[in-house]
């Protein structure tokens, strides 16, 4: 295969309890699909006919409301599956998946997926596990929106992103994602103004350093305290 | 420094790693009312970070952690 995934496939929840040989035959059945920045792997409300694993690049999952408003739900980084709803029957994609930068993904089409699922039932069990994790995260985020102050929600979102994709550097924990302040505002359900004001405040307190599409957490515990409202 | 060479937990040990490897250490964090257990940042922060954040005494805290490790075999032992 023309790429070298950073994480080993056997570490993915999707491939749990499958043998190395089974994983190889599943991976070999996929076709690679490369996209340029701005292009879409799939669009919201399209029939969910393929399942993906992102190998390189970054993909954002967007949801559009009927009046045209856009919400950023999640950023996919390598090596992560997306479009898992295709593993269920007769579904449509609840989100659009857009490449933020040049991307490569492995794709399994519907027919192939059905064959693989009947040959390796473990795949379906694992997919349910992945979807359950997502449901749990969104339930948590929903509760946060309904009950918590914006500052706390923003702290929790940054910590969540750091946990999922952060890298420890000598200066602190770096979250290097193509996220604008508008994106963050959409993810926590607030305004651009509030996000900017809160980030500047944290910056002056020495908790973070907020660059363009990059956040460096200088004092993780300080942010945790805000997230836990334990001040 | 009273920490001995055979100590498994060091100031630079990452909290997430050590809790996964030595579940017996978890009660030590709970006893000190630290939020490290289940924290999203536990995989990045070290024992030294936690000691600083909570204003603990490094030698005592390390001793407590290493005691807990010695009294409970590591979970991930092969």
């Amino acid at each position: 295969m023309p790429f070298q995934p950073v994480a080993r496939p056997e570490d993915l929840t999707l491939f749990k309890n499958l043998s190395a040989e089974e994983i190889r035959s599943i991976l070999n059945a996929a076709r690679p699909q490369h996209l340029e920045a701005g292009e879409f792997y799939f669009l919201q409300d399209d029939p969910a006919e393929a399942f993906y694993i992102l190998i390189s690049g970054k993909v954002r999952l967007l949801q559009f409301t009927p009046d045209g408003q856009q919400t950023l739900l999640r950023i996919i980084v390598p090596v992560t599956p997306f479009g898992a709803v295709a593993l269920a029957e007769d579904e449509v994609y609840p989100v659009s998946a857009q490449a933020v930068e040049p991307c490569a993904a492995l794709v399994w089409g519907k027919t192939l997926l059905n064959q693989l699922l009947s040959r390796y039932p473990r795949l379906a069990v694992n997919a349910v596990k992945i979807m359950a994790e997502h449901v749990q995260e969104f339930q948590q985020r929903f509760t946060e929106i309904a009950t918590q102050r914006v500052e706390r929600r923003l702290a929790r979102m940054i910590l969540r992103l750091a946990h999922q994709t952060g890298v420890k550097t000598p200066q602190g924990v770096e979250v290097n994602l193509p996220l604008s302040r508008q994106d963050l505002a959409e993810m926590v359900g607030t305004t651009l103004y509030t996000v900017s004001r809160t980030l500047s405040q944290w910056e002056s307190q020495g908790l973070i350093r907020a660059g363009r599409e990059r956040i460096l957490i200088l004092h993780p515990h300080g942010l945790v305290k805000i997230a836990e409202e334990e001040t | 420094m009273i920490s001995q060479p055979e100590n498994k937990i060091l100031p630079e040990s990452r909290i997430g790693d050590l809790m996964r490897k030595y579940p017996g250490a978890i009660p030590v964090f709970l006893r000190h009312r630290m939020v490290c257990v289940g924290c999203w940042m536990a995989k990045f922060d070290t024992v030294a970070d936690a000691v600083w954040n909570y204003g603990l005494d490094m030698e005592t805290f390390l001793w407590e952690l290493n005691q807990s490790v010695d009294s409970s075999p590591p979970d991930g032992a092969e």
Side-chain angles (χ1 to χ4, degrees), chain A residues 69-100:
Chain A
Q69 268 209 18
Q70 165 193 307
T71 311
L72 175 66
L73 290 183
R74 174 189 277 278
I75 296 255
I76 304 290
V77 295
V79 174
T80 313
F82 62 103
V85 70
L87 294 157
E89 257 175 68
D90 300 327
E91 289 292 339
V92 294
Y93 292 114
V95 293
S96 298
Q98 185 185 34
V100 201

PDB file of all heavy atoms in Angstrom, chain A residues 69-100:
ATOM      1  N   GLN A  69     -27.480  27.376   8.181  1.00  0.00           N
ATOM      2  CA  GLN A  69     -26.407  27.562   9.158  1.00  0.00           C
ATOM      3  C   GLN A  69     -25.551  26.310   9.248  1.00  0.00           C
ATOM      4  O   GLN A  69     -26.057  25.197   9.171  1.00  0.00           O
ATOM      5  CB  GLN A  69     -27.017  27.850  10.526  1.00  0.00           C
ATOM      6  CG  GLN A  69     -27.190  29.315  10.765  1.00  0.00           C
ATOM      7  CD  GLN A  69     -27.099  29.638  12.242  1.00  0.00           C
ATOM      8  OE1 GLN A  69     -26.593  28.839  13.024  1.00  0.00           O
ATOM      9  NE2 GLN A  69     -27.576  30.800  12.617  1.00  0.00           N
ATOM     10  N   GLN A  70     -24.255  26.524   9.437  1.00  0.00           N
ATOM     11  CA  GLN A  70     -23.339  25.401   9.466  1.00  0.00           C
ATOM     12  C   GLN A  70     -22.781  25.212  10.876  1.00  0.00           C
ATOM     13  O   GLN A  70     -22.475  26.181  11.550  1.00  0.00           O
ATOM     14  CB  GLN A  70     -22.221  25.700   8.490  1.00  0.00           C
ATOM     15  CG  GLN A  70     -21.003  24.852   8.617  1.00  0.00           C
ATOM     16  CD  GLN A  70     -19.858  25.427   7.825  1.00  0.00           C
ATOM     17  OE1 GLN A  70     -19.979  25.701   6.641  1.00  0.00           O
ATOM     18  NE2 GLN A  70     -18.743  25.630   8.490  1.00  0.00           N
ATOM     19  N   THR A  71     -22.697  23.958  11.304  1.00  0.00           N
ATOM     20  CA  THR A  71     -22.103  23.664  12.606  1.00  0.00           C
ATOM     21  C   THR A  71     -20.991  22.652  12.433  1.00  0.00           C
ATOM     22  O   THR A  71     -21.171  21.637  11.754  1.00  0.00           O
ATOM     23  CB  THR A  71     -23.143  23.049  13.562  1.00  0.00           C
ATOM     24  OG1 THR A  71     -24.295  23.853  13.530  1.00  0.00           O
ATOM     25  CG2 THR A  71     -22.614  22.991  14.980  1.00  0.00           C
ATOM     26  N   LEU A  72     -19.872  22.925  13.034  1.00  0.00           N
ATOM     27  CA  LEU A  72     -18.771  21.971  13.008  1.00  0.00           C
ATOM     28  C   LEU A  72     -18.950  20.991  14.162  1.00  0.00           C
ATOM     29  O   LEU A  72     -18.987  21.380  15.321  1.00  0.00           O
ATOM     30  CB  LEU A  72     -17.449  22.711  13.162  1.00  0.00           C
ATOM     31  CG  LEU A  72     -16.214  21.833  13.271  1.00  0.00           C
ATOM     32  CD1 LEU A  72     -15.980  21.075  11.983  1.00  0.00           C
ATOM     33  CD2 LEU A  72     -14.997  22.674  13.606  1.00  0.00           C
ATOM     34  N   LEU A  73     -19.108  19.703  13.832  1.00  0.00           N
ATOM     35  CA  LEU A  73     -19.361  18.728  14.884  1.00  0.00           C
ATOM     36  C   LEU A  73     -18.092  18.073  15.378  1.00  0.00           C
ATOM     37  O   LEU A  73     -17.956  17.747  16.548  1.00  0.00           O
ATOM     38  CB  LEU A  73     -20.307  17.643  14.379  1.00  0.00           C
ATOM     39  CG  LEU A  73     -21.740  18.090  14.147  1.00  0.00           C
ATOM     40  CD1 LEU A  73     -22.591  16.923  13.716  1.00  0.00           C
ATOM     41  CD2 LEU A  73     -22.317  18.710  15.411  1.00  0.00           C
ATOM     42  N   ARG A  74     -17.145  17.855  14.461  1.00  0.00           N
ATOM     43  CA  ARG A  74     -15.978  17.071  14.857  1.00  0.00           C
ATOM     44  C   ARG A  74     -14.908  17.201  13.792  1.00  0.00           C
ATOM     45  O   ARG A  74     -15.218  17.393  12.627  1.00  0.00           O
ATOM     46  CB  ARG A  74     -16.438  15.620  14.971  1.00  0.00           C
ATOM     47  CG  ARG A  74     -15.380  14.599  15.240  1.00  0.00           C
ATOM     48  CD  ARG A  74     -16.003  13.236  15.088  1.00  0.00           C
ATOM     49  NE  ARG A  74     -16.695  12.833  16.308  1.00  0.00           N
ATOM     50  CZ  ARG A  74     -16.078  12.306  17.357  1.00  0.00           C
ATOM     51  NH1 ARG A  74     -14.806  12.088  17.328  1.00  0.00           N
ATOM     52  NH2 ARG A  74     -16.752  11.954  18.421  1.00  0.00           N
ATOM     53  N   ILE A  75     -13.657  17.081  14.229  1.00  0.00           N
ATOM     54  CA  ILE A  75     -12.542  17.039  13.275  1.00  0.00           C
ATOM     55  C   ILE A  75     -11.968  15.634  13.301  1.00  0.00           C
ATOM     56  O   ILE A  75     -11.724  15.087  14.377  1.00  0.00           O
ATOM     57  CB  ILE A  75     -11.438  18.046  13.679  1.00  0.00           C
ATOM     58  CG1 ILE A  75     -11.963  19.476  13.610  1.00  0.00           C
ATOM     59  CG2 ILE A  75     -10.197  17.854  12.835  1.00  0.00           C
ATOM     60  CD1 ILE A  75     -11.491  20.271  12.441  1.00  0.00           C
ATOM     61  N   ILE A  76     -11.800  15.049  12.140  1.00  0.00           N
ATOM     62  CA  ILE A  76     -11.240  13.694  12.056  1.00  0.00           C
ATOM     63  C   ILE A  76      -9.750  13.797  11.730  1.00  0.00           C
ATOM     64  O   ILE A  76      -9.377  14.501  10.789  1.00  0.00           O
ATOM     65  CB  ILE A  76     -11.949  12.891  10.932  1.00  0.00           C
ATOM     66  CG1 ILE A  76     -13.461  12.843  11.145  1.00  0.00           C
ATOM     67  CG2 ILE A  76     -11.377  11.486  10.822  1.00  0.00           C
ATOM     68  CD1 ILE A  76     -13.909  12.012  12.304  1.00  0.00           C
ATOM     69  N   VAL A  77      -8.935  13.118  12.517  1.00  0.00           N
ATOM     70  CA  VAL A  77      -7.492  13.084  12.259  1.00  0.00           C
ATOM     71  C   VAL A  77      -7.093  11.636  11.968  1.00  0.00           C
ATOM     72  O   VAL A  77      -7.818  10.710  12.315  1.00  0.00           O
ATOM     73  CB  VAL A  77      -6.702  13.623  13.473  1.00  0.00           C
ATOM     74  CG1 VAL A  77      -6.995  15.093  13.708  1.00  0.00           C
ATOM     75  CG2 VAL A  77      -6.997  12.825  14.734  1.00  0.00           C
ATOM     76  N   PRO A  78      -5.955  11.413  11.314  1.00  0.00           N
ATOM     77  CA  PRO A  78      -5.521  10.031  11.052  1.00  0.00           C
ATOM     78  C   PRO A  78      -5.170   9.322  12.364  1.00  0.00           C
ATOM     79  O   PRO A  78      -4.671   9.996  13.267  1.00  0.00           O
ATOM     80  CB  PRO A  78      -4.248  10.197  10.211  1.00  0.00           C
ATOM     81  CG  PRO A  78      -4.236  11.628   9.768  1.00  0.00           C
ATOM     82  CD  PRO A  78      -5.006  12.398  10.782  1.00  0.00           C
ATOM     83  N   VAL A  79      -5.332   8.086  12.576  1.00  0.00           N
ATOM     84  CA  VAL A  79      -6.050   7.155  11.708  1.00  0.00           C
ATOM     85  C   VAL A  79      -7.403   6.919  12.369  1.00  0.00           C
ATOM     86  O   VAL A  79      -7.473   6.225  13.367  1.00  0.00           O
ATOM     87  CB  VAL A  79      -5.263   5.836  11.618  1.00  0.00           C
ATOM     88  CG1 VAL A  79      -6.023   4.781  10.846  1.00  0.00           C
ATOM     89  CG2 VAL A  79      -3.881   6.056  11.065  1.00  0.00           C
ATOM     90  N   THR A  80      -8.464   7.467  11.827  1.00  0.00           N
ATOM     91  CA  THR A  80      -9.784   7.386  12.460  1.00  0.00           C
ATOM     92  C   THR A  80     -10.835   7.033  11.412  1.00  0.00           C
ATOM     93  O   THR A  80     -10.806   7.573  10.312  1.00  0.00           O
ATOM     94  CB  THR A  80     -10.161   8.745  13.084  1.00  0.00           C
ATOM     95  OG1 THR A  80      -9.058   9.243  13.822  1.00  0.00           O
ATOM     96  CG2 THR A  80     -11.369   8.621  13.984  1.00  0.00           C
ATOM     97  N   PRO A  81     -11.762   6.126  11.778  1.00  0.00           N
ATOM     98  CA  PRO A  81     -12.862   5.829  10.864  1.00  0.00           C
ATOM     99  C   PRO A  81     -13.890   6.959  10.850  1.00  0.00           C
ATOM    100  O   PRO A  81     -14.043   7.660  11.847  1.00  0.00           O
ATOM    101  CB  PRO A  81     -13.505   4.576  11.460  1.00  0.00           C
ATOM    102  CG  PRO A  81     -12.692   4.174  12.630  1.00  0.00           C
ATOM    103  CD  PRO A  81     -11.824   5.328  13.004  1.00  0.00           C
ATOM    104  N   PHE A  82     -14.539   7.167   9.738  1.00  0.00           N
ATOM    105  CA  PHE A  82     -15.696   8.062   9.704  1.00  0.00           C
ATOM    106  C   PHE A  82     -16.695   7.525   8.679  1.00  0.00           C
ATOM    107  O   PHE A  82     -16.362   6.655   7.881  1.00  0.00           O
ATOM    108  CB  PHE A  82     -15.289   9.517   9.438  1.00  0.00           C
ATOM    109  CG  PHE A  82     -14.607   9.785   8.123  1.00  0.00           C
ATOM    110  CD1 PHE A  82     -15.299  10.373   7.079  1.00  0.00           C
ATOM    111  CD2 PHE A  82     -13.267   9.474   7.942  1.00  0.00           C
ATOM    112  CE1 PHE A  82     -14.665  10.653   5.861  1.00  0.00           C
ATOM    113  CE2 PHE A  82     -12.616   9.734   6.734  1.00  0.00           C
ATOM    114  CZ  PHE A  82     -13.329  10.328   5.687  1.00  0.00           C
ATOM    115  N   GLY A  83     -17.923   8.015   8.743  1.00  0.00           N
ATOM    116  CA  GLY A  83     -18.976   7.477   7.884  1.00  0.00           C
ATOM    117  C   GLY A  83     -19.437   6.113   8.371  1.00  0.00           C
ATOM    118  O   GLY A  83     -19.937   5.302   7.600  1.00  0.00           O
ATOM    119  N   ALA A  84     -19.267   5.872   9.687  1.00  0.00           N
ATOM    120  CA  ALA A  84     -19.588   4.549  10.239  1.00  0.00           C
ATOM    121  C   ALA A  84     -21.075   4.216  10.117  1.00  0.00           C
ATOM    122  O   ALA A  84     -21.463   3.054  10.205  1.00  0.00           O
ATOM    123  CB  ALA A  84     -19.162   4.469  11.703  1.00  0.00           C
ATOM    124  N   VAL A  85     -21.893   5.227   9.866  1.00  0.00           N
ATOM    125  CA  VAL A  85     -23.333   4.990   9.728  1.00  0.00           C
ATOM    126  C   VAL A  85     -23.606   4.070   8.532  1.00  0.00           C
ATOM    127  O   VAL A  85     -24.630   3.396   8.465  1.00  0.00           O
ATOM    128  CB  VAL A  85     -24.082   6.351   9.612  1.00  0.00           C
ATOM    129  CG1 VAL A  85     -23.796   7.039   8.295  1.00  0.00           C
ATOM    130  CG2 VAL A  85     -25.562   6.169   9.811  1.00  0.00           C
ATOM    131  N   ALA A  86     -22.655   3.987   7.592  1.00  0.00           N
ATOM    132  CA  ALA A  86     -22.803   3.101   6.435  1.00  0.00           C
ATOM    133  C   ALA A  86     -22.845   1.635   6.852  1.00  0.00           C
ATOM    134  O   ALA A  86     -23.276   0.775   6.092  1.00  0.00           O
ATOM    135  CB  ALA A  86     -21.661   3.324   5.442  1.00  0.00           C
ATOM    136  N   LEU A  87     -22.394   1.352   8.064  1.00  0.00           N
ATOM    137  CA  LEU A  87     -22.418  -0.026   8.538  1.00  0.00           C
ATOM    138  C   LEU A  87     -23.832  -0.440   8.955  1.00  0.00           C
ATOM    139  O   LEU A  87     -24.126  -1.610   9.094  1.00  0.00           O
ATOM    140  CB  LEU A  87     -21.443  -0.201   9.713  1.00  0.00           C
ATOM    141  CG  LEU A  87     -19.965  -0.020   9.339  1.00  0.00           C
ATOM    142  CD1 LEU A  87     -19.130   0.351  10.543  1.00  0.00           C
ATOM    143  CD2 LEU A  87     -19.421  -1.288   8.711  1.00  0.00           C
ATOM    144  N   ALA A  88     -24.686   0.547   9.176  1.00  0.00           N
ATOM    145  CA  ALA A  88     -26.092   0.240   9.434  1.00  0.00           C
ATOM    146  C   ALA A  88     -26.799   0.249   8.071  1.00  0.00           C
ATOM    147  O   ALA A  88     -26.300   0.814   7.111  1.00  0.00           O
ATOM    148  CB  ALA A  88     -26.686   1.293  10.343  1.00  0.00           C
ATOM    149  N   GLU A  89     -27.986  -0.379   8.002  1.00  0.00           N
ATOM    150  CA  GLU A  89     -28.625  -0.456   6.697  1.00  0.00           C
ATOM    151  C   GLU A  89     -29.521   0.735   6.412  1.00  0.00           C
ATOM    152  O   GLU A  89     -30.157   1.287   7.299  1.00  0.00           O
ATOM    153  CB  GLU A  89     -29.425  -1.754   6.601  1.00  0.00           C
ATOM    154  CG  GLU A  89     -28.669  -2.784   5.765  1.00  0.00           C
ATOM    155  CD  GLU A  89     -29.347  -4.110   5.750  1.00  0.00           C
ATOM    156  OE1 GLU A  89     -30.440  -4.202   5.161  1.00  0.00           O
ATOM    157  OE2 GLU A  89     -28.782  -5.052   6.359  1.00  0.00           O
ATOM    158  N   ASP A  90     -29.594   1.112   5.129  1.00  0.00           N
ATOM    159  CA  ASP A  90     -30.524   2.136   4.656  1.00  0.00           C
ATOM    160  C   ASP A  90     -30.481   3.418   5.456  1.00  0.00           C
ATOM    161  O   ASP A  90     -31.520   3.959   5.834  1.00  0.00           O
ATOM    162  CB  ASP A  90     -31.968   1.593   4.673  1.00  0.00           C
ATOM    163  CG  ASP A  90     -32.103   0.384   3.775  1.00  0.00           C
ATOM    164  OD1 ASP A  90     -31.391   0.346   2.748  1.00  0.00           O
ATOM    165  OD2 ASP A  90     -32.888  -0.510   4.101  1.00  0.00           O
ATOM    166  N   GLU A  91     -29.308   3.901   5.720  1.00  0.00           N
ATOM    167  CA  GLU A  91     -29.193   5.178   6.426  1.00  0.00           C
ATOM    168  C   GLU A  91     -28.689   6.250   5.468  1.00  0.00           C
ATOM    169  O   GLU A  91     -28.165   5.947   4.404  1.00  0.00           O
ATOM    170  CB  GLU A  91     -28.196   5.044   7.598  1.00  0.00           C
ATOM    171  CG  GLU A  91     -28.693   4.217   8.769  1.00  0.00           C
ATOM    172  CD  GLU A  91     -29.835   4.867   9.520  1.00  0.00           C
ATOM    173  OE1 GLU A  91     -30.004   6.100   9.412  1.00  0.00           O
ATOM    174  OE2 GLU A  91     -30.578   4.139  10.210  1.00  0.00           O
ATOM    175  N   VAL A  92     -28.867   7.510   5.873  1.00  0.00           N
ATOM    176  CA  VAL A  92     -28.223   8.607   5.140  1.00  0.00           C
ATOM    177  C   VAL A  92     -27.155   9.193   6.056  1.00  0.00           C
ATOM    178  O   VAL A  92     -27.224   9.046   7.277  1.00  0.00           O
ATOM    179  CB  VAL A  92     -29.229   9.719   4.731  1.00  0.00           C
ATOM    180  CG1 VAL A  92     -30.222   9.190   3.727  1.00  0.00           C
ATOM    181  CG2 VAL A  92     -29.913  10.306   5.950  1.00  0.00           C
ATOM    182  N   TYR A  93     -26.169   9.853   5.472  1.00  0.00           N
ATOM    183  CA  TYR A  93     -25.144  10.488   6.294  1.00  0.00           C
ATOM    184  C   TYR A  93     -25.762  11.660   7.052  1.00  0.00           C
ATOM    185  O   TYR A  93     -26.388  12.523   6.444  1.00  0.00           O
ATOM    186  CB  TYR A  93     -23.988  11.008   5.422  1.00  0.00           C
ATOM    187  CG  TYR A  93     -23.159   9.920   4.782  1.00  0.00           C
ATOM    188  CD1 TYR A  93     -23.151   9.752   3.408  1.00  0.00           C
ATOM    189  CD2 TYR A  93     -22.374   9.074   5.558  1.00  0.00           C
ATOM    190  CE1 TYR A  93     -22.371   8.769   2.819  1.00  0.00           C
ATOM    191  CE2 TYR A  93     -21.594   8.084   4.973  1.00  0.00           C
ATOM    192  CZ  TYR A  93     -21.600   7.932   3.598  1.00  0.00           C
ATOM    193  OH  TYR A  93     -20.839   6.955   3.022  1.00  0.00           O
ATOM    194  N   PRO A  94     -25.581  11.719   8.360  1.00  0.00           N
ATOM    195  CA  PRO A  94     -26.155  12.830   9.129  1.00  0.00           C
ATOM    196  C   PRO A  94     -25.314  14.098   9.016  1.00  0.00           C
ATOM    197  O   PRO A  94     -25.723  15.160   9.460  1.00  0.00           O
ATOM    198  CB  PRO A  94     -26.141  12.301  10.566  1.00  0.00           C
ATOM    199  CG  PRO A  94     -25.070  11.267  10.601  1.00  0.00           C
ATOM    200  CD  PRO A  94     -24.914  10.729   9.219  1.00  0.00           C
ATOM    201  N   VAL A  95     -24.109  13.975   8.427  1.00  0.00           N
ATOM    202  CA  VAL A  95     -23.191  15.114   8.337  1.00  0.00           C
ATOM    203  C   VAL A  95     -22.523  15.117   6.964  1.00  0.00           C
ATOM    204  O   VAL A  95     -22.603  14.140   6.234  1.00  0.00           O
ATOM    205  CB  VAL A  95     -22.068  15.014   9.402  1.00  0.00           C
ATOM    206  CG1 VAL A  95     -22.610  15.174  10.808  1.00  0.00           C
ATOM    207  CG2 VAL A  95     -21.309  13.697   9.260  1.00  0.00           C
ATOM    208  N   SER A  96     -21.867  16.222   6.630  1.00  0.00           N
ATOM    209  CA  SER A  96     -21.001  16.267   5.457  1.00  0.00           C
ATOM    210  C   SER A  96     -19.560  16.139   5.932  1.00  0.00           C
ATOM    211  O   SER A  96     -19.210  16.638   6.995  1.00  0.00           O
ATOM    212  CB  SER A  96     -21.165  17.595   4.719  1.00  0.00           C
ATOM    213  OG  SER A  96     -22.495  17.723   4.267  1.00  0.00           O
ATOM    214  N   ALA A  97     -18.731  15.462   5.112  1.00  0.00           N
ATOM    215  CA  ALA A  97     -17.323  15.276   5.481  1.00  0.00           C
ATOM    216  C   ALA A  97     -16.446  16.004   4.472  1.00  0.00           C
ATOM    217  O   ALA A  97     -16.376  15.626   3.307  1.00  0.00           O
ATOM    218  CB  ALA A  97     -16.982  13.798   5.509  1.00  0.00           C
ATOM    219  N   GLN A  98     -15.812  17.078   4.930  1.00  0.00           N
ATOM    220  CA  GLN A  98     -15.039  17.924   4.024  1.00  0.00           C
ATOM    221  C   GLN A  98     -13.550  17.868   4.357  1.00  0.00           C
ATOM    222  O   GLN A  98     -13.161  17.989   5.526  1.00  0.00           O
ATOM    223  CB  GLN A  98     -15.528  19.371   4.140  1.00  0.00           C
ATOM    224  CG  GLN A  98     -14.858  20.305   3.147  1.00  0.00           C
ATOM    225  CD  GLN A  98     -15.271  21.758   3.353  1.00  0.00           C
ATOM    226  OE1 GLN A  98     -15.500  22.178   4.486  1.00  0.00           O
ATOM    227  NE2 GLN A  98     -15.380  22.497   2.267  1.00  0.00           N
ATOM    228  N   ALA A  99     -12.726  17.703   3.330  1.00  0.00           N
ATOM    229  CA  ALA A  99     -11.268  17.724   3.528  1.00  0.00           C
ATOM    230  C   ALA A  99     -10.834  19.154   3.822  1.00  0.00           C
ATOM    231  O   ALA A  99     -11.189  20.070   3.100  1.00  0.00           O
ATOM    232  CB  ALA A  99     -10.571  17.211   2.273  1.00  0.00           C
ATOM    233  N   VAL A 100     -10.080  19.336   4.917  1.00  0.00           N
ATOM    234  CA  VAL A 100      -9.598  20.669   5.272  1.00  0.00           C
ATOM    235  C   VAL A 100      -8.256  20.922   4.603  1.00  0.00           C
ATOM    236  O   VAL A 100      -7.836  22.051   4.407  1.00  0.00           O
ATOM    237  CB  VAL A 100      -9.392  20.801   6.794  1.00  0.00           C
ATOM    238  CG1 VAL A 100      -9.393  22.257   7.203  1.00  0.00           C
ATOM    239  CG2 VAL A 100     -10.430  20.042   7.567  1.00  0.00           C
TER     240      VAL A 100
END
